[in-house]
Amino acid sequence: MELLDFEDGKIKLYTLLLFVGLSIPCFSQSSPATDSLATSLQTYLKNVSPENIYLQTSKGIYESGEDLWFKAYVLDAQSFSPSLLSKTLYLRMVSNQNKQSVWQEMYEIQDGF
């Protein structure tokens, strides 16, 4: 009977040590390589546009004179959630032959769409 109690106490002790060992926080040392990577990533994010614009059209190819149906998504560049920064979307269609603007419009952006 005592042997069982001893084994039971041993299991409880190991379980307690396991939980204590797992709950101790571990810290790693920072290296110059990781610090340099973090710094260059922050610099890149400051220089890149804060928003990405995705244009979804109703079809892939349009004929001359057809109506162009589209939906624009203005997304935050880091989180890809709808951006609330811009309020106006400027669109311009450019000719392939002479690179001249053939059409341009402005649209109100509401909640990133």
Side-chain angles (χ1 to χ4, degrees):
M1 197 74 170
E2 273 183 49
L3 188 59
L4 281 176
D5 290 338
F6 176 71
E7 289 295 321
D8 187 38
K10 202 174 181 182
I11 291 172
K12 287 180 183 177
L13 178 65
Y14 285 138
T15 305
L16 177 67
L17 288 175
L18 177 68
F19 284 121
V20 168
L22 291 176
S23 65
I24 296 173
C26 298
F27 300 99
S28 65
Q29 297 176 359
S30 65
S31 68
T34 56
D35 291 343
S36 172
L37 180 62
T39 304
S40 56
L41 181 61
Q42 287 174 348
T43 304
Y44 172 75
L45 290 176
K46 285 180 186 175
N47 294 331
V48 75
S49 172
E51 297 175 316
N52 289 328
I53 300 170
Y54 296 96
L55 203 62
Q56 178 183 9
T57 59
S58 61
K59 58 185 189 176
I61 298 175
Y62 289 88
E63 298 287 329
S64 261
E66 273 190 285
D67 289 335
L68 174 67
W69 293 94
F70 66 90
K71 184 171 186 176
Y73 302 88
V74 183
L75 304 176
D76 181 82
Q78 291 182 13
S79 66
F80 294 110
S81 61
S83 176
L84 303 176
L85 291 177
S86 296
K87 302 297 179 203
T88 306
L89 176 70
Y90 298 90
L91 286 180
R92 182 172 59 167
M93 195 175 294
V94 178
S95 171
N96 275 342
Q97 287 86 18
N98 56 14
K99 306 298 183 201
Q100 295 292 320
S101 178
V102 294
W103 173 83
Q104 60 186 17
E105 287 287 329
M106 296 180 345
Y107 296 94
E108 181 183 3
I109 300 171
Q110 295 178 353
D111 300 324
F113 299 97

